[in-house]
Amino acid sequence: MAKLVSKTYAEALFELAVEEQKEDLLLEEILTVQTSLEENPELIQFLEHPEILKEEKIRVIENIFKGRVSDEVTGFLVVIVTKGRSKELPAIFAEFIAKVKEYKKIGNVQVTSAVELNEQWKERIKEKLLKTTGYRELEITYSVDPSLIGGMVIRLKDRVVDSSIKSKLQLLKDQLLKVSLDQEAE
C-alpha cells in the first residue's frame, strides 16, 4: 500500500512538473527539501506526530519552505501533510526523483567488481553502457566485493549482468551436480 501511495503522489508531482516544463526546477527543489528533512529528523517527527494539529504542521511547512522553494513544491508538501501522508515523504521523493531522471534519460547504475577499477576501466564501462542502454547520462556507483573473485556485476533498474567468476563457478557447479544426478538416475 505504501508503494502505491508514494507512486500516486510522485506521479501527480511529476505530471505537474512536465506540464509546467519545470522538471529541473522541481527536481532541484525536491532534492533540497529531502536534504532538509534528512538533516532535521525532529521535523519529520513533528510532521508525523499524531497529536499535533494539521493546521500547525501546515503553518510550520509554510514558514520553513514558502519563498525558499516554488509554490508548487510548498503546495505539494501542504497536500501531503493535509492528507496525513508525511510518513510517505521519503518514498514519494525517491519515486519522483526516479521518474524525473528516467524522463531526462539519466540512468542509475551499480557496478560491483572484485577489485577497485581504475579511471580508464570506469570510462570504458560508462561508454559501453551509454551505447547499449539509450540513456544520455549515467550516475554510476562503484563498489568492490572480493568474493566475486574476478569480473563484475552491473545492475541497471531491474536488469543484472553478472560476469563474475563467482557466478560462473556456481553455474559450473550446478551443471556438474545435474550431470551427476542424471547419471545416478540411469
Side-chain angles (χ1 to χ4, degrees):
M1 169 109 164
K3 190 79 163 167
L4 183 60
V5 168
S6 62
K7 278 185 179 270
T8 302
Y9 283 100
E11 182 69 33
L13 184 60
F14 174 73
E15 287 175 10
L16 174 69
V18 171
E19 184 179 304
E20 301 278 327
Q21 297 180 343
K22 294 182 176 181
E23 305 89 20
D24 291 328
L25 174 67
L26 294 187
L27 175 61
E28 185 180 317
E29 290 182 350
I30 288 298
L31 289 168
T32 299
V33 172
Q34 183 182 44
T35 301
S36 296
L37 293 174
E38 287 170 356
E39 290 174 352
N40 300 292
E42 56 279 349
L43 178 57
I44 298 265
Q45 292 171 343
F46 173 81
L47 293 174
E48 292 176 2
H49 200 287
E51 294 177 18
I52 297 174
L53 296 174
K54 287 181 183 177
E55 293 77 15
E56 182 62 27
K57 294 176 185 180
I58 291 168
R59 197 169 21 260
V60 168
I61 287 290
E62 288 177 339
N63 285 340
I64 293 172
F65 295 109
K66 197 167 186 93
R68 291 183 180 86
V69 296
S70 64
D71 290 345
E72 290 91 349
V73 171
T74 304
F76 181 75
L77 293 171
V78 167
V79 168
I80 297 296
V81 169
T82 302
K83 298 289 184 182
R85 299 293 189 184
S86 301
K87 191 174 281 195
E88 307 298 329
L89 279 172
I92 293 168
F93 291 163
E95 193 73 37
F96 174 77
I97 292 165
K99 283 185 171 301
V100 172
K101 286 183 178 180
E102 191 66 31
Y103 179 78
K104 295 174 67 59
K105 299 241 183 262
I106 300 171
N108 191 331
V109 181
Q110 291 84 39
V111 177
T112 306
S113 57
V115 296
E116 187 73 35
L117 298 173
N118 64 31
E119 290 306 314
Q120 185 179 6
W121 267 104
K122 289 179 180 180
E123 193 57 38
R124 286 175 65 187
I125 291 167
K126 184 176 184 177
E127 286 175 20
K128 182 78 169 172
L129 288 171
L130 283 170
K131 284 181 187 174
T132 58
T133 61
Y135 285 107
R136 286 189 225 140
E137 195 178 319
L138 293 173
E139 295 176 348
I140 305 177
T141 306
Y142 294 94
S143 60
V144 175
D145 180 358
S147 76
L148 295 179
I149 304 169
M152 63 184 69
V153 178
I154 300 173
R155 286 182 168 72
L156 174 65
K157 291 172 58 174
D158 59 350
R159 295 187 338 219
V160 176
V161 177
D162 188 342
S163 65
S164 68
I165 292 176
K166 179 181 178 180
S167 69
K168 289 178 181 177
L169 287 172
Q170 184 62 47
L171 181 64
L172 182 60
K173 178 183 171 187
D174 293 345
Q175 289 172 341
L176 288 172
L177 283 172
K178 185 175 187 276
V179 168
S180 175
L181 291 174
D182 288 345
Q183 288 176 350
E184 287 178 13
E186 293 175 359

